[in-house]
């Protein structure tokens, strides 16, 4: 089966750094995505990793280890507006091609 | 604005009724995915269409159906509505390197 695990909730302080972990067990792995979703809104794209290593984009970085089935999203210099859910998602290509979403990690930022 | 348009944004209806949700992808997008997200739940894949044909089915109830028209817009039909069908319904299209691009969603409330 296909499975994606990430913590349900995390709390961090404004200005700090937080790391959100994601582990996956999938067949046909073809890339990993991170999305941000504010309450009541649509998910929006943050990052994409298809090869091992770190991708940096401003305050956000994402890491992938395909051999370990592991990824993390690193958020630096946290701002109150970063309070949201963060979804780990894996593209799986077998007979068809689809993206499977984790249940998301709700991040609370404290002032 | 993602360019993927969903209407209506909000819908309130009574149990037992039928509603139609509409999604217009961006110009050139051939695929449409439908997702359901209940309160504090993850994204549940319902169904995928590609260029007018059903491509994949997820956990879609028999009371729900969808279609994609020649102009590539898609409609999701929900019938015999129950209280538990209250949720956010998103459509999405596939963008290489970005994964899915989501519409702003339709919030359905069944009373």
């Amino acid at each position: 089966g296909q499975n994606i695990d990430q913590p349900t909730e995390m709390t961090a302080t404004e200005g700090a750094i937080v790391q959100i972990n994601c582990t996956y067990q999938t067949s046909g792995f073809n890339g990993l995505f991170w999305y941000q979703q504010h309450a009541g809104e649509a998910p929006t794209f943050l990052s994409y990793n298809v090869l091992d290593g770190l991708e940096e984009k401003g305050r956000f970085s994402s890491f992938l280890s395909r051999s370990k089935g592991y990824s993390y999203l690193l958020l630096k210099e946290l701002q109150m507006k970063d309070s949201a859910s963060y979804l780990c998602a894996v593209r799986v290509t077998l007979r068809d091609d689809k993206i499977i979403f984790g249940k998301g990690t709700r991040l609370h930022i404290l002032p | 604005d993602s360019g993927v348009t969903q209407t209506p944004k909000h819908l309130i209806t009574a149990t037992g009724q039928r509603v139609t949700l509409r999604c217009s992808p961006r110009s050139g997008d051939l695929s449409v995915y439908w997702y359901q997200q209940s309160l504090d739940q993850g994204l549940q894949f319902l169904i995928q269409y590609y260029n007018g044909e059903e491509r994949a089915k997820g956990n879609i109830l028999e009371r729900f159906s969808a279609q994609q028209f020649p102009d590539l817009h898609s409609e999701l039909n929900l019938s015999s509505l129950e209280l538990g069908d209250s949720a956010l319904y998103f459509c999405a299209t596939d963008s290489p390197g970005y994964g899915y691009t989501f519409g702003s969603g339709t919030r359905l409330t069944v009373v």
Side-chain angles (χ1 to χ4, degrees), chain A residues 1-19:
Chain A
Q2 317 279 21
N3 193 51
I4 299 174
D5 289 313
Q6 53 182 130
T8 303
E9 287 191 85
M10 298 182 69
T11 300
T13 305
E14 190 176 16
I17 298 173
V18 71
Q19 178 174 312

Side-chain angles (χ1 to χ4, degrees), chain B residues 65-97:
Chain B
S65 65
Q67 53 185 327
Q68 187 179 28
F69 295 86
D71 67 353
L72 301 178
H73 91 271
S74 178
E75 294 181 354
L76 179 67
N77 301 296
L78 315 176
S79 61
S80 303
L81 285 167
E82 302 175 358
L83 296 178
D85 298 326
S86 295
L88 272 167
Y89 291 84
F90 292 105
C91 73
T93 60
D94 202 349
S95 307

